[in-house]
Amino acid sequence: MEKIKQKIHETISNKDEIRQIIQSLSSIDNSKSFALGIVVGRLYNAFYYQTKRILNREPTEIEFIEFLEFIKNKKSDLENLW
């Protein structure tokens, strides 16, 4: 979870890059749902990669559920970035 929190901080620091992605790919400027999708994708990638790197295995279903709960609890914070 510490790596996921670091990824959230990194994502906040790179808001301009994500805005550029949104402007390049979305027909709706500053689409919150599109931005949230990008951020959650980055977080999922970090979750999956860190599990493989640190634990040398695929995430378990319980770990994935914990990740989902974490993301759900952070949803409003992540949406308010934009």
Side-chain angles (χ1 to χ4, degrees):
M1 282 307 183
E2 195 58 40
K3 293 291 184 182
I4 300 296
K5 290 176 185 175
Q6 288 175 357
K7 184 57 80 172
I8 289 172
H9 179 71
E10 177 187 313
T11 299
I12 291 168
S13 299
N14 294 327
K15 281 196 306 192
D16 291 336
E17 290 177 358
I18 294 174
R19 281 193 183 110
Q20 288 176 336
I21 293 169
I22 292 166
Q23 290 172 350
S24 295
L25 298 176
S26 178
S27 60
I28 303 170
D29 290 336
N30 297 321
S31 168
K32 280 190 175 189
S33 62
F34 191 63
L36 184 61
I38 292 170
V39 171
V40 170
R42 290 179 64 144
L43 296 177
Y44 175 74
N45 189 50
F47 160 73
Y48 190 83
Y49 173 76
Q50 292 302 326
T51 302
K52 297 269 295 183
R53 186 177 75 79
I54 294 170
L55 302 175
N56 279 336
R57 61 173 173 75
E58 305 276 326
T60 65
E61 186 174 342
I62 292 171
E63 290 166 335
F64 182 68
I65 290 169
E66 289 173 351
F67 170 75
L68 288 177
E69 196 62 34
F70 178 81
I71 294 297
K72 184 178 173 182
N73 291 334
K74 293 286 185 184
K75 183 181 177 192
S76 64
D77 294 337
L78 297 173
E79 286 177 325
N80 291 328
L81 292 174
W82 322 106

